[in-house]
Amino acid sequence: MPKAAYHFPRGFLWGTATAAHQVEGNNTNNNWWAWEQDGHTVDKSGLACDWWGGRWKEDFDRAAEAGQNAHRLSVEWSRIQPDPDRWDENALDRYRQMLRGLRERGMTAMVTLHHFSDPLWLMEQGGWENGETPGKFADFVRKTMEALKEYTTLWVTINEPNVYAYSGYVAGAFPPGKKDMKTALRVMTNLVRGHAQAYRAIHEVQREARVGMAVNYRSIFPANPKSPLDRWVAKTQSGIFNDLFPRAAQDGKVKFLYKTINVPEAAGTQDFIGLNYYSRDYVTFDLRLPGELFGRRAYAEDADLSDTGFIANEPAGFFEALKWARGFGKPIIVTENGVEDADDHMRPRYLAQHIHQLWRAVNFNWRIKGYFHWSLVDNFEWERGWTQRFGLWELDVETQARRKRPSADLYAEICKENGLSSEMVEKYCPEALEKIFPE
Ligand code: IFM
């Protein structure tokens, strides 16, 4: 087969993404730590990847040597504001060192200000159910921005507010473990307010900032496209899970089923769409599932499944997600995409097939500015603990030793080449060659 390659525009951001609680270790002052100690998770985060102990340096070295020119990390609110009336300047300094570390390695930093975990003191006040939390979040954001603004202009206010609200207040798998749609709607509305206030606070401190949310987009298809009920439930679930947050940041309206809540301060508060994409579901109408808005979601019967069956390799869903993101008329940054795969059997083809779809979208001149793979090194996967391994590098949690997976080399070649070639695919995942480079 003749050699071929798909190239990306100059200056494209190639990186990996991480989150504070998942990599830092010993985050004892937040709700996730408490949730873990109370036995709600498979394992505990413990030392995690020991970034707070300084191992971010070796991991940033790995990323830089592997050709990554960017990294997305998050800051931990409970470290920066350990009590309602106290800021920890040492914690801020630690984050400054990390961001300086990225700069010294020639990497662009993207900073997420909220990634699932909340300070214990905030939860004692009702967390995001409390109408005062958006203002408190904006105070924290302002303080953090002042300290870190020298190092980046790329900010994510809230990571996956849709997953945060769904998992914490509908499914009950995240703290505080509630299952109550009404509360979930209040939390969603407050998250929109929090995002909007943070957006304005960031721009007050740094005019040139580029600010967005990172939304987890699930491609939701009717299991039977001929069934009006399956079509209805797919549209409804997608409207709430995928659309609610970015649409509210566009027009200031929180639309939930047939209800609209006006949040005018949220209108026009996103400079880019942060897109987290992992997989596609097929949904069947089921009257027995009111909590799931009457939809039963499953993967395709013949799906190419990850290690624990958590993710189906559905690259076409990624293209659909990019098309959806484009509909908001803003630049797009892929803030997460990846797969759990301890043995690295599927990751090379998952990665190559998704980069191929990304290239197709870029090739239509859609304004896509970068791609952050989830994740750099195995990290604490929330309620599923250490049972799911998303890293390009494997982590031995006991010894803290890292071991490179073949996908790290494939991604390094993609980053360094600023593109994907047929030779790479032949070398790392020949089984996907025909799909990516058809003869
Ligand atoms: O690890 C998570 C991350 O915190 C948020 N997005 C999905 C990832 C994989 O499940």
Side-chain angles (χ1 to χ4, degrees):
M1 175 192 175
K3 295 182 190 9
Y6 299 129
H7 281 108
F8 285 73
R10 202 169 330 138
F12 197 79
L13 295 178
W14 291 109
T16 47
T18 55
H21 188 76
Q22 294 179 268
V23 293
E24 286 178 356
N26 282 331
N27 255 315
T28 57
N29 198 23
N30 73 26
N31 58 342
W32 265 94
W33 186 272
W35 189 246
E36 293 161 30
Q37 312 315 308
D38 289 346
H40 294 286
T41 54
V42 178
D43 316 287
K44 295 179 181 156
S45 54
L47 254 195
C49 310
D50 196 24
W51 277 25
W52 207 248
R55 286 187 205 263
W56 57 266
K57 297 189 193 88
E58 50 169 296
D59 286 335
F60 287 1
D61 282 344
R62 290 186 175 93
E65 280 160 22
Q68 297 174 30
N69 61 16
H71 186 75
R72 171 182 173 228
L73 56 76
S74 82
V75 292
E76 172 62 35
W77 188 351
S78 67
R79 286 198 193 273
I80 292 173
Q81 194 175 8
D83 300 303
D85 47 8
R86 188 162 64 89
W87 302 108
D88 185 337
E89 297 298 336
N90 289 330
L92 283 168
D93 198 49
R94 196 79 71 93
Y95 287 120
R96 266 194 296 268
Q97 286 170 28
M98 287 187 199
L99 295 179
R100 204 176 303 130
L102 287 175
R103 178 173 289 175
E104 284 162 4
R105 289 164 179 79
M107 296 165 78
T108 298
M110 176 178 231
V111 174
T112 305
L113 293 150
H114 185 282
H115 192 124
F116 293 166
S117 50
D118 287 299
L120 281 173
W121 60 262
L122 189 87
M123 293 314 286
E124 279 158 20
Q125 299 172 4
W128 288 89
E129 289 174 57
N130 186 333
E132 289 182 10
T133 293
K136 289 183 181 157
F137 178 57
D139 292 342
F140 152 72
V141 166
R142 203 170 285 113
K143 175 74 185 175
T144 304
M145 282 284 305
E146 291 286 3
L148 307 183
K149 63 176 187 231
E150 177 187 345
Y151 297 103
T152 187
T153 53
L154 272 182
W155 305 91
V156 172
T157 54
I158 302 178
N159 178 73
E160 297 182 357
N162 50 347
V163 172
Y164 178 93
Y166 174 77
S167 301
Y169 296 87
V170 181
F174 278 19
K178 296 194 176 174
K179 294 182 181 176
D180 173 21
M181 202 62 100
K182 230 171 126 190
T183 311
L185 179 57
R186 183 161 63 238
V187 166
M188 288 191 261
T189 310
N190 283 334
L191 286 165
V192 169
R193 293 199 175 102
H195 160 79
Q197 293 193 32
Y199 177 92
R200 296 190 197 289
I202 294 170
H203 276 288
E204 274 164 31
V205 178
Q206 190 187 56
R207 281 181 54 194
E208 69 277 25
R210 283 162 295 159
V211 187
M213 278 183 269
V215 172
N216 183 313
Y217 181 92
R218 292 295 291 195
S219 166
I220 305 177
F221 254 50
N224 174 5
K226 289 193 184 136
S227 154
L229 288 173
D230 286 7
R231 285 206 306 272
W232 174 84
V233 80
K235 197 167 166 226
T236 306
Q237 285 197 347
S238 185
I240 294 176
F241 193 78
N242 295 325
D243 302 348
L244 186 144
F245 283 97
R247 196 165 55 193
Q250 202 87 343
D251 63 9
K253 292 186 198 312
V254 173
K255 288 196 181 136
F256 186 87
L257 295 174
Y258 303 106
K259 197 170 173 158
T260 300
I261 301 166
N262 285 315
V263 185
E265 71 269 29
T269 58
Q270 58 196 353
D271 304 325
F272 64 85
I273 303 293
L275 175 66
N276 294 1
Y277 172 81
Y278 287 87
S279 202
R280 160 182 282 177
D281 299 305
Y282 292 83
V283 69
T284 311
F285 181 82
D286 190 336
L287 257 186
R288 291 164 300 182
L289 296 173
E292 301 288 319
L293 300 172
F294 305 107
R296 187 164 19 89
R297 276 152 61 166
Y299 286 140
E301 270 175 23
D302 57 348
D304 179 16
L305 291 180
S306 66
D307 248 13
T308 65
F310 186 62
I311 289 173
N313 178 20
E314 292 273 13
F318 187 32
F319 187 79
E320 176 205 321
L322 291 160
K323 192 170 175 189
W324 164 86
R326 178 175 174 262
F328 294 95
K330 303 280 176 190
I332 300 163
I333 299 176
V334 179
T335 33
E336 287 180 27
N337 171 242
V339 65
E340 47 101 16
D341 183 14
D343 296 331
D344 215 43
H345 289 322
M346 180 213 244
R347 189 177 288 103
R349 70 174 170 273
Y350 181 100
L351 177 60
Q353 288 183 265
H354 283 74
I355 297 299
H356 174 221
Q357 296 300 325
L358 184 67
W359 174 82
R360 285 185 59 218
V362 166
N363 204 38
F364 283 129
N365 271 337
W366 298 356
R367 289 186 292 161
I368 305 169
K369 302 295 176 194
Y371 171 90
F372 291 84
H373 189 78
W374 186 274
S375 180
L376 177 53
V377 58
D378 287 343
N379 53 55
F380 181 70
E381 183 55 26
W382 308 111
E383 75 274 30
R384 297 175 300 279
W386 295 102
T387 61
Q388 293 186 346
R389 303 304 187 112
F390 278 90
L392 293 174
W393 271 264
E394 177 187 326
L395 173 76
D396 181 326
V397 185
E398 298 304 319
T399 63
Q400 284 294 324
R402 274 83 164 145
R403 202 168 58 87
K404 193 165 58 161
R405 294 194 167 105
S407 292
D409 285 330
L410 167 58
Y411 192 48
E413 290 193 30
I414 292 170
C415 297
K416 289 177 185 169
E417 182 64 30
N418 196 23
L420 176 73
S421 70
S422 52
E423 285 159 306
M424 293 174 201
V425 176
E426 262 179 317
K427 180 165 155 197
Y428 294 97
C429 46
E431 73 279 14
L433 189 62
E434 186 54 32
K435 287 197 176 105
I436 303 176
F437 291 98
E439 290 243 24

